[in-house]
Amino acid sequence: MNILQYFQEQFTGMDFWDAIQTAGLILSFIYLWLEFRQKPLMWVISAMCSMIYASVYFHSKIYADMGFSCFNIVMCVYGFIKWMKGGRKTGKSDSGITYRHFRSREFMAVLGVSALIWAAIYCVLEFLTDSPVPMLDALTTMLNIVGTWVLAQKIIEVWGIWFLVNSISIYIYCRRGLHVTTILLYGFYLCASVYGWIKWYRKGHAVQN
């Protein structure tokens, strides 16, 4: 089967799950555009994407990612409120983008918490579910949880976290046979994580807080 035939089959025989993944793809592009520009509306779009993908992950038995999608809806409320308040307190660059770097102690604390979260999620998946990829599923979920908090703080290193998440996710979703739109989306996310760091670094204003 050549590439053209593969894509034809993917889009000519779409079922319900394929259709909602396509809708998630469109919303995710909107989310990325807003995230590059640090627009608070990105948190609203992110919550909508999480609702869609929570159902997709449950259907595909990727339980930890499903759990994160539900958790992310709550974090979107936190992020939206923090960004709205922060925008009034922090000086803006001409592009409207501000960021900061990890503090040393903060980074070490995040590493420690990350290890604990990964271990806890892995144990749940390994012993309480029929997840076929418990270790990797736990890893991406932990990185997503930590990354969402880091994004809410406008720490520029979040783009490195997204790069790692997207690389691992592509492998998992290919292995689990998700629709090509989801795999392509995460391939786009992978490239976007590089672009996002460059845009924040070049166009943004580093602050100390």
Side-chain angles (χ1 to χ4, degrees):
M1 180 186 298
N2 59 39
I3 298 297
L4 180 59
Q5 289 176 324
Y6 172 75
F7 279 97
Q8 285 178 337
E9 289 185 2
Q10 290 287 306
F11 288 99
T12 56
M14 294 179 66
D15 59 14
F16 170 77
W17 296 106
D18 296 337
I20 65 171
Q21 287 180 73
T22 302
L25 174 70
I26 296 170
L27 285 174
S28 296
F29 285 148
I30 298 173
Y31 162 81
L32 275 178
W33 184 85
L34 294 169
E35 184 180 14
F36 291 152
R37 291 158 178 78
Q38 287 193 354
K39 303 297 183 182
L41 182 60
M42 58 159 277
W43 294 104
V44 178
I45 302 299
S46 179
M48 294 171 64
C49 289
S50 293
M51 293 176 189
I52 289 175
Y53 284 107
S55 61
V56 172
Y57 295 144
F58 178 76
H59 177 71
S60 301
K61 296 184 179 181
I62 307 175
Y63 300 119
D65 277 355
M66 179 203 71
F68 168 72
S69 294
C70 297
F71 167 82
N72 190 55
I73 295 171
V74 177
M75 285 299 297
C76 285
V77 177
Y78 166 74
F80 180 81
I81 294 173
K82 184 171 182 63
W83 278 32
M84 291 299 291
K85 290 182 177 180
R88 302 188 187 102
K89 296 178 181 179
T90 305
K92 293 286 187 177
S93 67
D94 292 339
S95 65
I97 297 173
T98 59
Y99 67 86
R100 68 177 178 88
H101 292 281
F102 265 122
R103 295 183 286 268
S104 297
R105 290 184 179 179
E106 180 182 52
F107 180 70
M108 296 305 298
V110 168
L111 282 181
V113 172
S114 297
L116 293 174
I117 294 174
W118 186 8
I121 296 174
Y122 170 74
C123 288
V124 171
L125 294 176
E126 177 67 21
F127 300 111
L128 299 179
T129 76
D130 58 346
S131 172
V133 285
M135 184 169 290
L136 290 178
D137 194 8
L139 178 59
T140 56
T141 301
M142 176 275 291
L143 289 171
N144 273 314
I145 291 172
V146 173
T148 302
W149 180 85
V150 173
L151 176 62
Q153 314 311 312
K154 294 188 178 181
I155 298 173
I156 195 171
E157 284 79 14
V158 69
W159 295 106
I161 296 175
W162 292 154
F163 184 89
L164 184 57
V165 169
N166 296 324
S167 300
I168 300 171
S169 295
I170 290 171
Y171 170 76
I172 295 175
Y173 300 155
C174 286
R175 182 172 171 179
R176 296 301 300 149
L178 267 65
H179 191 257
V180 68
T181 53
T182 298
I183 296 170
L184 288 175
L185 172 63
Y186 278 80
F188 182 81
Y189 277 166
L190 186 65
C191 298
S193 59
V194 177
Y195 173 78
W197 184 87
I198 293 172
K199 183 175 181 62
W200 279 28
Y201 184 77
R202 290 184 175 178
K203 301 293 185 180
H205 171 67
V207 297
Q208 300 293 330
N209 58 10

